[in-house]
Amino acid sequence: MVDVNSVERFLQNNDIRPSAPRVKIMEYLLVHRNHPTVDQIYSDLKDELTSLSKTTVYNTLKLFVERGITLLINIEDNETRYDADTSVHGHFKCRSCGGVFDLSIRSDMFQLSGIENFEVEEYHLYLKGICRVCKERVCS
Amino acid sequence: MVDVNSVERFLQNNDIRPSAPRVKIMEYLLVHRNHPTVDQIYSDLKDELTSLSKTTVYNTLKLFVERGITLLINIEDNETRYDADTSVHGHFKCRSCGGVFDLSIRSDMFQLSGIENFEVEEYHLYLKGICRVCKERVCS
DNA sequence: TGTGTTTTTGTAACGATTACAAATGTAGAG
DNA sequence: CTCTACATTTGTAATCGTTACAAAAACACA
């Protein structure tokens, strides 16, 4: 995992010029591990970066995804989320509180029958349901 | 799996009145196992059902998904696909030919650590890459 | 300081999906 | 058979997330 204090170097190592928006957006992803949407990132950063445009947030995240330093999470069809943790892991979304949580994945998870016919480049595991906190709140 | 010849009964068993559009759309899903999009379904059915509206295709598929007789596949963020096979299985999308293929899933696949904190209602496994056919075409 | 390139910005366009209300179709009572 | 209430379908307009585009700003480097 990347250290929040060395974001500039991290971006440079991935051939990305560390401009202010890029550094701030990557810092935001590293600090906020709740898989934010473009709107959340934009809303939270626009006070600090007063001239920030939402287009810049889109452009920057697209760049991060292309460079492989950010994951694009498509667990819900009407909202795209982003994750600076690029290790292979799954996600669970609670339909009650809307939260998205990480799931660790077994190393043998993707040894599926028939998989030899496909050269896999991306893995996405999305589960949906109700988290324990919401479940207990409803049933009490 | 549902028999194509008993679609009317199948819909009735799921409290869905078997109108012409509904029967035709379900038949389409049962015959075309390539995980079609709304546009594909609409284009292919509009000659047979001359008055068909794209809104009806959206409405009908939404109804099927709500009733649990059709799966919604969100493997690509800009296209929603549908699948009449509601058994738990995964999908692979080839970024070269665009095809979406079924993957069988091991029964122990979702015994993930930490899963006891979540009551799972939906499973989605999406893999992306290049299929063997496209791979060999490119490298020859 | 000047110049060419990269990045950012704001507006307009786009496309998939949904909202809505009118039109049509259907089932059951009388 | 006809009437009536309800369900379904339809077409248009609206919505919303995202992208295209060109101008403005920032930057690197001679």
Side-chain angles (χ1 to χ4, degrees):
Chain A
M1 189 57 54
V2 184
D3 181 8
V4 186
N5 298 313
S6 58
V7 172
E8 293 201 13
R9 217 176 317 140
F10 173 61
L11 293 180
Q12 281 170 333
N13 289 344
N14 287 278
D15 291 319
I16 296 172
R17 196 187 289 173
S19 68
R22 289 168 174 173
V23 171
K24 288 294 177 189
I25 291 172
M26 178 52 73
E27 280 177 3
Y28 187 92
L29 287 177
L30 291 171
V31 171
H32 300 81
R33 310 326 250 24
N34 57 331
H35 318 90
T37 64
V38 164
D39 278 327
Q40 288 168 341
I41 299 170
Y42 173 72
S43 299
D44 289 354
L45 288 182
K46 70 181 177 192
D47 290 334
E48 199 176 351
L49 289 168
T50 48
S51 76
L52 184 66
S53 161
K54 197 178 278 189
T55 302
T56 300
V57 181
Y58 277 107
N59 290 341
T60 303
L61 291 169
K62 183 180 216 173
L63 180 67
F64 289 173
V65 172
E66 282 170 2
R67 290 290 204 286
I69 60 175
T70 296
L71 279 188
L72 190 155
I73 302 172
N74 229 324
I75 196 169
E76 204 74 64
D77 53 350
N78 54 347
E79 61 176 27
T80 303
R81 292 165 173 270
Y82 296 89
D83 191 346
D85 178 2
T86 58
S87 68
V88 176
H89 64 287
H91 294 100
F92 174 92
K93 170 152 185 174
C94 174
R95 66 170 164 79
S96 179
C97 64
V100 174
F101 308 97
D102 288 326
L103 294 172
S104 65
I105 282 184
R106 296 167 36 163
S107 58
D108 63 348
M109 173 136 195
F110 295 115
Q111 291 169 9
L112 307 167
S113 74
I115 199 71
E116 60 275 7
N117 288 319
F118 307 110
E119 189 171 291
V120 182
E121 297 165 346
E122 288 180 47
Y123 299 87
H124 300 273
L125 175 68
Y126 300 139
L127 306 190
K128 302 188 192 183
I130 303 188
C131 71
R132 174 171 278 182
V133 175
C134 288
K135 180 80 178 176
E136 289 173 354
R137 183 164 39 73
V138 170
C139 298
S140 62
Chain B
M1 189 58 54
V2 184
D3 181 9
V4 186
N5 299 312
S6 59
V7 172
E8 294 201 13
R9 217 176 317 140
F10 173 62
L11 292 180
Q12 280 170 333
N13 289 344
N14 287 277
D15 290 319
I16 297 172
R17 194 187 291 174
S19 68
R22 289 168 174 173
V23 171
K24 289 295 177 189
I25 291 172
M26 178 52 74
E27 280 177 4
Y28 187 91
L29 288 177
L30 291 170
V31 172
H32 300 81
R33 311 324 245 38
N34 57 332
H35 318 88
T37 64
V38 165
D39 279 327
Q40 287 167 342
I41 299 169
Y42 173 71
S43 300
D44 290 352
L45 287 182
K46 71 181 176 193
D47 291 333
E48 198 176 352
L49 288 167
T50 49
S51 77
L52 183 65
S53 161
K54 197 178 277 188
T55 301
T56 300
V57 182
Y58 277 106
N59 290 341
T60 303
L61 291 169
K62 183 179 215 174
L63 180 67
F64 288 173
V65 172
E66 282 171 2
R67 289 291 203 286
I69 61 175
T70 297
L71 279 189
L72 190 155
I73 302 173
N74 230 324
I75 196 169
E76 205 74 64
D77 54 350
N78 54 347
E79 62 175 27
T80 302
R81 292 165 173 270
Y82 296 89
D83 191 344
D85 177 3
T86 57
S87 68
V88 176
H89 64 288
H91 295 99
F92 174 92
K93 170 152 184 173
C94 174
R95 64 170 163 79
S96 178
C97 65
V100 174
F101 309 97
D102 288 326
L103 294 172
S104 64
I105 282 184
R106 297 165 37 160
S107 58
D108 62 349
M109 173 133 196
F110 296 116
Q111 291 169 8
L112 307 166
S113 73
I115 200 71
E116 59 275 7
N117 289 320
F118 307 109
E119 189 171 292
V120 182
E121 298 165 345
E122 288 180 47
Y123 299 86
H124 300 273
L125 175 68
Y126 299 139
L127 307 190
K128 303 187 192 183
I130 303 188
C131 71
R132 173 170 280 184
V133 176
C134 288
K135 179 79 178 177
E136 289 174 354
R137 182 164 39 73
V138 170
C139 296
S140 61

